[in-house]
Amino acid sequence: MEDDNKNRLVTLLKCLTSLLAIAVWSFVAAIAMDNDEQGFGFNVMWETGLTVPFILGVLITLQGWGKLASPLPYFRDVGAFQVPLPSWLIGVSFMAVEFYSGPVLLMGSLAGEYGAIFSCAAVGALLDIAAYVTLSLYGFFGGLAYSWKLRCEREDGLCVKNCTCFGQYGAQKLSVWVLVQDVLVVLETVFVAARIISRGKI
């Protein structure tokens, strides 16, 4: 019981620490993109047509938060895809892109700012989902996915138990259903990136 309480406390501290890091970066991004002439907030977001980028920013920020809170278990889960690259390198790359892009999409949407910082976050979102799709397809065609009924049909049982979208949290078994979700996020991300980049400054 004592060990369980200690583990819960450690997990809570990790979550709060990573959340604080995201909050600080969001504050810095908000200052960098603040436009005094049009203000800052949900009204600005709505008037500038940035509601969908805000929603995408929420998704990417949550993904990054889950990874930052518990990076080592996340790296182990990435290793289950058996990609011939160090799992920590893949994991750190995802974390860096999501730590930047998620909060910037959030703050940029609230600021109604189509500047270079915001456009770079859109590019980051594209890279993020492209890498997720690549990782998922690698596992799927590598015979590491569960069936559509979410059953592992490998004799060694080495199916990917966590698609790693949110780190070790909200784990989903790699299956065709994860690929369907990826397609939906691809469509959303391409729409957001096209809108931002076409009006941006890069």
mmCIF file of all heavy atoms in Angstrom, residues 113-150:
data_model
loop_
_atom_site.group_PDB
_atom_site.id
_atom_site.type_symbol
_atom_site.label_atom_id
_atom_site.label_comp_id
_atom_site.label_asym_id
_atom_site.label_seq_id
_atom_site.Cartn_x
_atom_site.Cartn_y
_atom_site.Cartn_z
ATOM 1 N N GLU A 113 -2.829 35.013 -34.952
ATOM 2 C CA GLU A 113 -1.568 35.418 -35.572
ATOM 3 C C GLU A 113 -1.097 34.381 -36.586
ATOM 4 O O GLU A 113 -0.869 33.224 -36.246
ATOM 5 C CB GLU A 113 -0.500 35.602 -34.485
ATOM 6 C CG GLU A 113 0.890 35.904 -34.997
ATOM 7 C CD GLU A 113 0.964 37.161 -35.839
ATOM 8 O OE1 GLU A 113 0.312 38.168 -35.472
ATOM 9 O OE2 GLU A 113 1.656 37.138 -36.854
ATOM 10 N N TYR A 114 -0.938 34.811 -37.844
ATOM 11 C CA TYR A 114 -0.498 33.906 -38.907
ATOM 12 C C TYR A 114 0.982 34.098 -39.222
ATOM 13 O O TYR A 114 1.401 34.006 -40.362
ATOM 14 C CB TYR A 114 -1.313 34.152 -40.176
ATOM 15 C CG TYR A 114 -2.700 33.552 -40.158
ATOM 16 C CD1 TYR A 114 -3.791 34.292 -39.733
ATOM 17 C CD2 TYR A 114 -2.918 32.246 -40.592
ATOM 18 C CE1 TYR A 114 -5.077 33.749 -39.737
ATOM 19 C CE2 TYR A 114 -4.188 31.697 -40.602
ATOM 20 C CZ TYR A 114 -5.261 32.453 -40.171
ATOM 21 O OH TYR A 114 -6.522 31.906 -40.174
ATOM 22 N N GLY A 115 1.792 34.361 -38.216
ATOM 23 C CA GLY A 115 3.202 34.624 -38.432
ATOM 24 C C GLY A 115 4.039 33.372 -38.610
ATOM 25 O O GLY A 115 3.535 32.250 -38.675
ATOM 26 N N ALA A 116 5.351 33.584 -38.667
ATOM 27 C CA ALA A 116 6.283 32.492 -38.938
ATOM 28 C C ALA A 116 6.282 31.435 -37.834
ATOM 29 O O ALA A 116 6.387 30.243 -38.108
ATOM 30 C CB ALA A 116 7.695 33.060 -39.119
ATOM 31 N N ILE A 117 6.167 31.861 -36.583
ATOM 32 C CA ILE A 117 6.153 30.918 -35.462
ATOM 33 C C ILE A 117 4.965 29.969 -35.584
ATOM 34 O O ILE A 117 5.087 28.749 -35.397
ATOM 35 C CB ILE A 117 6.095 31.666 -34.111
ATOM 36 C CG1 ILE A 117 7.343 32.524 -33.928
ATOM 37 C CG2 ILE A 117 5.942 30.697 -32.945
ATOM 38 C CD1 ILE A 117 7.304 33.394 -32.669
ATOM 39 N N PHE A 118 3.821 30.535 -35.943
ATOM 40 C CA PHE A 118 2.593 29.752 -36.103
ATOM 41 C C PHE A 118 2.709 28.813 -37.300
ATOM 42 O O PHE A 118 2.315 27.639 -37.235
ATOM 43 C CB PHE A 118 1.419 30.716 -36.270
ATOM 44 C CG PHE A 118 0.060 30.110 -36.042
ATOM 45 C CD1 PHE A 118 -0.173 29.270 -34.968
ATOM 46 C CD2 PHE A 118 -0.990 30.406 -36.891
ATOM 47 C CE1 PHE A 118 -1.435 28.728 -34.732
ATOM 48 C CE2 PHE A 118 -2.262 29.879 -36.670
ATOM 49 C CZ PHE A 118 -2.477 29.033 -35.594
ATOM 50 N N SER A 119 3.279 29.313 -38.388
ATOM 51 C CA SER A 119 3.442 28.493 -39.588
ATOM 52 C C SER A 119 4.387 27.324 -39.336
ATOM 53 O O SER A 119 4.159 26.212 -39.828
ATOM 54 C CB SER A 119 3.972 29.356 -40.739
ATOM 55 O OG SER A 119 3.045 30.358 -41.106
ATOM 56 N N CYS A 120 5.435 27.562 -38.561
ATOM 57 C CA CYS A 120 6.364 26.479 -38.220
ATOM 58 C C CYS A 120 5.664 25.390 -37.413
ATOM 59 O O CYS A 120 5.965 24.198 -37.567
ATOM 60 C CB CYS A 120 7.558 27.035 -37.442
ATOM 61 S SG CYS A 120 8.729 27.961 -38.457
ATOM 62 N N ALA A 121 4.728 25.789 -36.555
ATOM 63 C CA ALA A 121 3.965 24.808 -35.778
ATOM 64 C C ALA A 121 3.087 23.968 -36.693
ATOM 65 O O ALA A 121 2.894 22.764 -36.456
ATOM 66 C CB ALA A 121 3.105 25.520 -34.733
ATOM 67 N N ALA A 122 2.558 24.579 -37.747
ATOM 68 C CA ALA A 122 1.751 23.830 -38.717
ATOM 69 C C ALA A 122 2.608 22.795 -39.432
ATOM 70 O O ALA A 122 2.181 21.659 -39.649
ATOM 71 C CB ALA A 122 1.117 24.789 -39.720
ATOM 72 N N VAL A 123 3.825 23.182 -39.793
ATOM 73 C CA VAL A 123 4.759 22.239 -40.416
ATOM 74 C C VAL A 123 5.085 21.111 -39.436
ATOM 75 O O VAL A 123 5.132 19.935 -39.801
ATOM 76 C CB VAL A 123 6.047 22.951 -40.865
ATOM 77 C CG1 VAL A 123 7.083 21.938 -41.355
ATOM 78 C CG2 VAL A 123 5.739 23.973 -41.955
ATOM 79 N N GLY A 124 5.283 21.481 -38.164
ATOM 80 C CA GLY A 124 5.551 20.474 -37.138
ATOM 81 C C GLY A 124 4.408 19.488 -36.997
ATOM 82 O O GLY A 124 4.630 18.280 -36.827
ATOM 83 N N ALA A 125 3.169 19.987 -37.077
ATOM 84 C CA ALA A 125 1.999 19.113 -36.989
ATOM 85 C C ALA A 125 1.974 18.119 -38.149
ATOM 86 O O ALA A 125 1.633 16.939 -37.981
ATOM 87 C CB ALA A 125 0.724 19.947 -36.974
ATOM 88 N N LEU A 126 2.346 18.587 -39.341
ATOM 89 C CA LEU A 126 2.408 17.703 -40.502
ATOM 90 C C LEU A 126 3.469 16.618 -40.306
ATOM 91 O O LEU A 126 3.232 15.434 -40.582
ATOM 92 C CB LEU A 126 2.729 18.505 -41.764
ATOM 93 C CG LEU A 126 1.597 19.311 -42.391
ATOM 94 C CD1 LEU A 126 2.144 20.152 -43.541
ATOM 95 C CD2 LEU A 126 0.479 18.398 -42.894
ATOM 96 N N LEU A 127 4.638 17.021 -39.825
ATOM 97 C CA LEU A 127 5.711 16.053 -39.576
ATOM 98 C C LEU A 127 5.295 15.041 -38.521
ATOM 99 O O LEU A 127 5.602 13.842 -38.627
ATOM 100 C CB LEU A 127 6.982 16.784 -39.128
ATOM 101 C CG LEU A 127 7.652 17.678 -40.173
ATOM 102 C CD1 LEU A 127 8.811 18.448 -39.529
ATOM 103 C CD2 LEU A 127 8.144 16.861 -41.350
ATOM 104 N N ASP A 128 4.581 15.522 -37.511
ATOM 105 C CA ASP A 128 4.151 14.672 -36.406
ATOM 106 C C ASP A 128 3.223 13.560 -36.890
ATOM 107 O O ASP A 128 3.459 12.376 -36.628
ATOM 108 C CB ASP A 128 3.462 15.529 -35.349
ATOM 109 C CG ASP A 128 3.241 14.795 -34.035
ATOM 110 O OD1 ASP A 128 4.234 14.288 -33.472
ATOM 111 O OD2 ASP A 128 2.088 14.747 -33.561
ATOM 112 N N ILE A 129 2.183 13.926 -37.622
ATOM 113 C CA ILE A 129 1.224 12.912 -38.058
ATOM 114 C C ILE A 129 1.833 12.023 -39.140
ATOM 115 O O ILE A 129 1.541 10.820 -39.209
ATOM 116 C CB ILE A 129 -0.101 13.553 -38.560
ATOM 117 C CG1 ILE A 129 -1.144 12.461 -38.840
ATOM 118 C CG2 ILE A 129 0.124 14.424 -39.774
ATOM 119 C CD1 ILE A 129 -1.448 11.550 -37.663
ATOM 120 N N ALA A 130 2.729 12.584 -39.970
ATOM 121 C CA ALA A 130 3.398 11.758 -40.978
ATOM 122 C C ALA A 130 4.248 10.681 -40.307
ATOM 123 O O ALA A 130 4.276 9.519 -40.746
ATOM 124 C CB ALA A 130 4.263 12.633 -41.881
ATOM 125 N N ALA A 131 4.925 11.058 -39.223
ATOM 126 C CA ALA A 131 5.750 10.093 -38.496
ATOM 127 C C ALA A 131 4.886 9.047 -37.801
ATOM 128 O O ALA A 131 5.240 7.863 -37.761
ATOM 129 C CB ALA A 131 6.626 10.819 -37.480
ATOM 130 N N TYR A 132 3.732 9.467 -37.258
ATOM 131 C CA TYR A 132 2.821 8.513 -36.620
ATOM 132 C C TYR A 132 2.316 7.484 -37.635
ATOM 133 O O TYR A 132 2.274 6.279 -37.353
ATOM 134 C CB TYR A 132 1.615 9.237 -36.004
ATOM 135 C CG TYR A 132 1.822 9.658 -34.580
ATOM 136 C CD1 TYR A 132 1.713 10.988 -34.216
ATOM 137 C CD2 TYR A 132 2.117 8.729 -33.582
ATOM 138 C CE1 TYR A 132 1.910 11.396 -32.917
ATOM 139 C CE2 TYR A 132 2.311 9.120 -32.275
ATOM 140 C CZ TYR A 132 2.205 10.464 -31.947
ATOM 141 O OH TYR A 132 2.404 10.852 -30.653
ATOM 142 N N VAL A 133 1.916 7.968 -38.802
ATOM 143 C CA VAL A 133 1.412 7.066 -39.831
ATOM 144 C C VAL A 133 2.505 6.083 -40.259
ATOM 145 O O VAL A 133 2.260 4.882 -40.399
ATOM 146 C CB VAL A 133 0.896 7.860 -41.048
ATOM 147 C CG1 VAL A 133 0.586 6.924 -42.209
ATOM 148 C CG2 VAL A 133 -0.349 8.657 -40.674
ATOM 149 N N THR A 134 3.715 6.604 -40.434
ATOM 150 C CA THR A 134 4.841 5.749 -40.828
ATOM 151 C C THR A 134 5.104 4.673 -39.779
ATOM 152 O O THR A 134 5.296 3.494 -40.112
ATOM 153 C CB THR A 134 6.109 6.595 -41.025
ATOM 154 O OG1 THR A 134 5.867 7.586 -42.032
ATOM 155 C CG2 THR A 134 7.292 5.722 -41.436
ATOM 156 N N LEU A 135 5.103 5.083 -38.501
ATOM 157 C CA LEU A 135 5.346 4.135 -37.415
ATOM 158 C C LEU A 135 4.245 3.079 -37.350
ATOM 159 O O LEU A 135 4.523 1.874 -37.202
ATOM 160 C CB LEU A 135 5.440 4.886 -36.087
ATOM 161 C CG LEU A 135 5.899 4.091 -34.855
ATOM 162 C CD1 LEU A 135 7.329 3.587 -35.051
ATOM 163 C CD2 LEU A 135 5.803 4.964 -33.598
ATOM 164 N N SER A 136 3.008 3.522 -37.479
ATOM 165 C CA SER A 136 1.879 2.593 -37.421
ATOM 166 C C SER A 136 1.910 1.606 -38.583
ATOM 167 O O SER A 136 1.694 0.397 -38.402
ATOM 168 C CB SER A 136 0.554 3.359 -37.430
ATOM 169 O OG SER A 136 0.407 4.153 -36.269
ATOM 170 N N LEU A 137 2.191 2.113 -39.782
ATOM 171 C CA LEU A 137 2.247 1.233 -40.954
ATOM 172 C C LEU A 137 3.415 0.255 -40.854
ATOM 173 O O LEU A 137 3.292 -0.909 -41.274
ATOM 174 C CB LEU A 137 2.361 2.065 -42.232
ATOM 175 C CG LEU A 137 1.115 2.848 -42.645
ATOM 176 C CD1 LEU A 137 1.406 3.701 -43.864
ATOM 177 C CD2 LEU A 137 -0.060 1.909 -42.924
ATOM 178 N N TYR A 138 4.525 0.710 -40.294
ATOM 179 C CA TYR A 138 5.681 -0.165 -40.121
ATOM 180 C C TYR A 138 5.310 -1.346 -39.217
ATOM 181 O O TYR A 138 5.635 -2.503 -39.513
ATOM 182 C CB TYR A 138 6.847 0.613 -39.519
ATOM 183 C CG TYR A 138 8.141 -0.169 -39.465
ATOM 184 C CD1 TYR A 138 9.040 -0.108 -40.523
ATOM 185 C CD2 TYR A 138 8.453 -0.968 -38.372
ATOM 186 C CE1 TYR A 138 10.227 -0.834 -40.489
ATOM 187 C CE2 TYR A 138 9.630 -1.702 -38.335
ATOM 188 C CZ TYR A 138 10.515 -1.626 -39.395
ATOM 189 O OH TYR A 138 11.684 -2.358 -39.359
ATOM 190 N N GLY A 139 4.630 -1.051 -38.128
ATOM 191 C CA GLY A 139 4.206 -2.109 -37.226
ATOM 192 C C GLY A 139 3.124 -2.991 -37.838
ATOM 193 O O GLY A 139 3.140 -4.218 -37.691
ATOM 194 N N PHE A 140 2.193 -2.355 -38.555
ATOM 195 C CA PHE A 140 1.068 -3.089 -39.130
ATOM 196 C C PHE A 140 1.549 -4.085 -40.190
ATOM 197 O O PHE A 140 1.210 -5.274 -40.152
ATOM 198 C CB PHE A 140 0.069 -2.104 -39.746
ATOM 199 C CG PHE A 140 -1.227 -2.729 -40.167
ATOM 200 C CD1 PHE A 140 -2.261 -2.902 -39.258
ATOM 201 C CD2 PHE A 140 -1.417 -3.135 -41.472
ATOM 202 C CE1 PHE A 140 -3.467 -3.485 -39.650
ATOM 203 C CE2 PHE A 140 -2.611 -3.714 -41.873
ATOM 204 C CZ PHE A 140 -3.634 -3.885 -40.959
ATOM 205 N N PHE A 141 2.361 -3.613 -41.142
ATOM 206 C CA PHE A 141 2.830 -4.491 -42.210
ATOM 207 C C PHE A 141 4.003 -5.364 -41.759
ATOM 208 O O PHE A 141 4.382 -6.303 -42.473
ATOM 209 C CB PHE A 141 3.217 -3.663 -43.438
ATOM 210 C CG PHE A 141 2.030 -3.077 -44.143
ATOM 211 C CD1 PHE A 141 1.793 -1.716 -44.109
ATOM 212 C CD2 PHE A 141 1.141 -3.891 -44.814
ATOM 213 C CE1 PHE A 141 0.684 -1.173 -44.747
ATOM 214 C CE2 PHE A 141 0.029 -3.358 -45.457
ATOM 215 C CZ PHE A 141 -0.201 -1.994 -45.415
ATOM 216 N N GLY A 142 4.532 -5.063 -40.575
ATOM 217 C CA GLY A 142 5.558 -5.915 -40.006
ATOM 218 C C GLY A 142 4.977 -7.070 -39.209
ATOM 219 O O GLY A 142 5.721 -7.827 -38.572
ATOM 220 N N GLY A 143 3.655 -7.185 -39.232
ATOM 221 C CA GLY A 143 2.997 -8.296 -38.546
ATOM 222 C C GLY A 143 2.905 -8.126 -37.045
ATOM 223 O O GLY A 143 2.744 -9.105 -36.315
ATOM 224 N N LEU A 144 2.972 -6.872 -36.578
ATOM 225 C CA LEU A 144 2.958 -6.613 -35.138
ATOM 226 C C LEU A 144 1.625 -6.066 -34.636
ATOM 227 O O LEU A 144 1.495 -5.717 -33.470
ATOM 228 C CB LEU A 144 4.071 -5.615 -34.776
ATOM 229 C CG LEU A 144 5.501 -6.064 -35.089
ATOM 230 C CD1 LEU A 144 6.467 -4.908 -34.886
ATOM 231 C CD2 LEU A 144 5.879 -7.248 -34.214
ATOM 232 N N ALA A 145 0.632 -6.010 -35.529
ATOM 233 C CA ALA A 145 -0.663 -5.435 -35.161
ATOM 234 C C ALA A 145 -1.636 -6.504 -34.661
ATOM 235 O O ALA A 145 -1.495 -7.695 -34.962
ATOM 236 C CB ALA A 145 -1.268 -4.714 -36.356
ATOM 237 N N TYR A 146 -2.615 -6.054 -33.905
ATOM 238 C CA TYR A 146 -3.724 -6.905 -33.490
ATOM 239 C C TYR A 146 -4.719 -7.011 -34.644
ATOM 240 O O TYR A 146 -4.724 -6.188 -35.563
ATOM 241 C CB TYR A 146 -4.430 -6.307 -32.271
ATOM 242 C CG TYR A 146 -3.671 -6.471 -30.970
ATOM 243 C CD1 TYR A 146 -2.580 -5.655 -30.677
ATOM 244 C CD2 TYR A 146 -4.036 -7.429 -30.037
ATOM 245 C CE1 TYR A 146 -1.873 -5.796 -29.484
ATOM 246 C CE2 TYR A 146 -3.344 -7.582 -28.843
ATOM 247 C CZ TYR A 146 -2.266 -6.758 -28.575
ATOM 248 O OH TYR A 146 -1.575 -6.904 -27.403
ATOM 249 N N SER A 147 -5.549 -8.017 -34.603
ATOM 250 C CA SER A 147 -6.590 -8.158 -35.618
ATOM 251 C C SER A 147 -7.655 -7.087 -35.400
ATOM 252 O O SER A 147 -7.641 -6.375 -34.391
ATOM 253 C CB SER A 147 -7.235 -9.542 -35.521
ATOM 254 O OG SER A 147 -8.020 -9.649 -34.326
ATOM 255 N N TRP A 148 -8.590 -6.998 -36.340
ATOM 256 C CA TRP A 148 -9.644 -5.985 -36.197
ATOM 257 C C TRP A 148 -10.531 -6.267 -34.989
ATOM 258 O O TRP A 148 -11.219 -5.384 -34.497
ATOM 259 C CB TRP A 148 -10.480 -5.903 -37.478
ATOM 260 C CG TRP A 148 -11.327 -7.114 -37.762
ATOM 261 C CD1 TRP A 148 -10.954 -8.250 -38.388
ATOM 262 C CD2 TRP A 148 -12.711 -7.281 -37.423
ATOM 263 N NE1 TRP A 148 -12.001 -9.141 -38.460
ATOM 264 C CE2 TRP A 148 -13.101 -8.566 -37.885
ATOM 265 C CE3 TRP A 148 -13.661 -6.483 -36.789
ATOM 266 C CZ2 TRP A 148 -14.381 -9.057 -37.724
ATOM 267 C CZ3 TRP A 148 -14.949 -6.973 -36.624
ATOM 268 C CH2 TRP A 148 -15.296 -8.244 -37.093
ATOM 269 N N LYS A 149 -10.467 -7.502 -34.472
ATOM 270 C CA LYS A 149 -11.189 -7.855 -33.242
ATOM 271 C C LYS A 149 -10.315 -7.630 -32.003
ATOM 272 O O LYS A 149 -10.694 -8.007 -30.892
ATOM 273 C CB LYS A 149 -11.638 -9.306 -33.295
ATOM 274 C CG LYS A 149 -12.709 -9.589 -34.348
ATOM 275 C CD LYS A 149 -13.153 -11.041 -34.283
ATOM 276 C CE LYS A 149 -14.252 -11.318 -35.300
ATOM 277 N NZ LYS A 149 -14.706 -12.739 -35.240
ATOM 278 N N LEU A 150 -9.143 -7.004 -32.226
ATOM 279 C CA LEU A 150 -8.199 -6.683 -31.153
ATOM 280 C C LEU A 150 -7.649 -7.936 -30.466
ATOM 281 O O LEU A 150 -7.491 -7.988 -29.249
ATOM 282 C CB LEU A 150 -8.832 -5.740 -30.117
ATOM 283 C CG LEU A 150 -9.340 -4.400 -30.668
ATOM 284 C CD1 LEU A 150 -9.916 -3.538 -29.543
ATOM 285 C CD2 LEU A 150 -8.237 -3.655 -31.395
#
